[in-house]
Amino acid sequence: MAMRDHEERPERPSQADGTAHLFSALGKQLKVLREHTGMSQRELGRAAHCGEALISSIERGVRTPQPDFLLRVDELLDARGVLAAAADDVREAQAKARTRHPEWYRRYANLESHAIELHDYSNQVVHGLLQTEDYARAIFSQRRPFLDPETIEERVSDRLNRQRIFERWPSPTCSFIVEEAALQRPIGGRAVYKGQLQQLLRVGRHRAVELQVMPTDREEHPNVDGVFTLLTSKARESIAYTEVQGYPRLITDVEEVRLIAARYGILRSQALNARESLALIEKMLGEL
């Protein structure tokens, strides 16, 4: 699931310090400045060495603009320091956000963002690092008890910001195993579902990502204990992360992590390989 982390936890701190409003305002300023120059989102993304989707998400306030992005785009849009002036405020807001989260999560988030390897098994929904904005919003909107609209947008933003892991260089080695049943669930409706399958094809073709589907008809399964994520840090520290009904657990015990890693290896051997998995997703798309 989306990280199965603080985003799912009832006690997640709210952004009462105005951080969400800062990013919303910056997004609106970016849009006005971009349109004033006559540039499209695609053109600005190309000039700023990022994707059109990132520009769109920042303008709508659902992704956090990084300080270096603001400095770069300020010059591209001839904003005369309007955007660059907010870089320090963004750094401060990001630092406050980190201190609001529990210690266990701050450690996990840091490990994930700097991991050299990440491997995940999901059985209910697509992992958060692979989700589209609409798919993530549909998941949070359906959560019970209901979340208020502002909280939903904050959590969608958090989720999309984590996907910067794929923009790093050198890229971390990532693999994902997702149950076929999770891919058959049209969360958010046909349009959202179609967009999510297309996103899986895009990410699955990333050279540092291996995406595998576990067929539902497999008669044997080495892991009926639930979802998990395995991380390897720059210091070669290996940890596992699990969560059940919003209760997270970071596992650092070497033997426990070894057993989960061994289980993951068996899962990979039983799942469809990457080529077969992408072919299955393409087939699902063709049937819509």
Side-chain angles (χ1 to χ4, degrees), residues 180 184 193 197 201 276-288:
E180 181 181 4
Q184 294 171 334
Y193 178 52
L197 292 180
L201 290 178
E276 294 168 335
S277 298
L278 292 180
L280 175 60
I281 295 172
E282 287 179 336
K283 182 175 181 291
M284 290 179 172
L285 267 172
E287 294 173 347
L288 289 178

Side-chain angles (χ1 to χ4, degrees), residues 89-232:
D89 291 328
V90 169
R91 291 191 187 94
E92 182 179 353
Q94 291 174 333
K96 288 180 178 179
R98 286 192 290 272
T99 61
R100 282 199 305 271
H101 300 312
E103 175 59 33
W104 68 266
Y105 173 69
R106 291 202 300 273
R107 184 182 180 198
Y108 180 89
N110 184 63
L111 285 169
E112 183 187 77
S113 64
H114 296 94
I116 60 174
E117 288 188 28
L118 183 150
H119 308 287
D120 180 84
Y121 166 70
S122 298
N123 61 8
Q124 294 294 329
V125 296
V126 173
H127 188 274
L129 291 177
L130 307 177
Q131 292 177 7
T132 65
E133 178 184 335
D134 290 337
Y135 186 91
R137 183 174 291 107
I139 287 176
F140 287 127
S141 298
Q142 295 171 15
R143 185 185 183 278
R144 299 295 191 277
F146 287 118
L147 300 172
D148 63 81
E150 182 177 0
T151 298
I152 290 173
E153 293 309 310
E154 289 171 3
R155 297 191 181 187
V156 170
S157 178
D158 284 347
R159 186 149 298 174
L160 296 179
N161 283 325
R162 286 173 46 220
Q163 296 176 3
R164 286 198 179 91
I165 189 172
F166 298 122
E167 301 170 10
R168 279 175 35 204
W169 183 258
S171 300
T173 299
C174 300
S175 69
F176 300 87
I177 299 174
V178 58
E179 290 286 342
E180 181 181 4
L183 296 184
Q184 294 171 334
R185 185 171 296 119
I187 290 178
R190 187 177 186 277
V192 173
Y193 178 52
K194 181 178 181 180
Q196 182 57 61
L197 292 180
Q198 292 171 333
Q199 170 76 347
L200 290 175
L201 290 178
R202 285 191 293 269
V203 179
R205 292 180 179 126
H206 191 292
R207 63 179 178 174
V209 175
E210 186 150 338
L211 175 63
Q212 293 181 258
V213 177
M214 176 64 78
T216 303
D217 64 3
R218 288 290 191 260
E219 295 182 358
E220 296 182 0
H221 201 298
N223 184 70
V224 293
D225 296 331
V227 296
F228 61 80
T229 301
L230 291 163
L231 294 177
T232 301

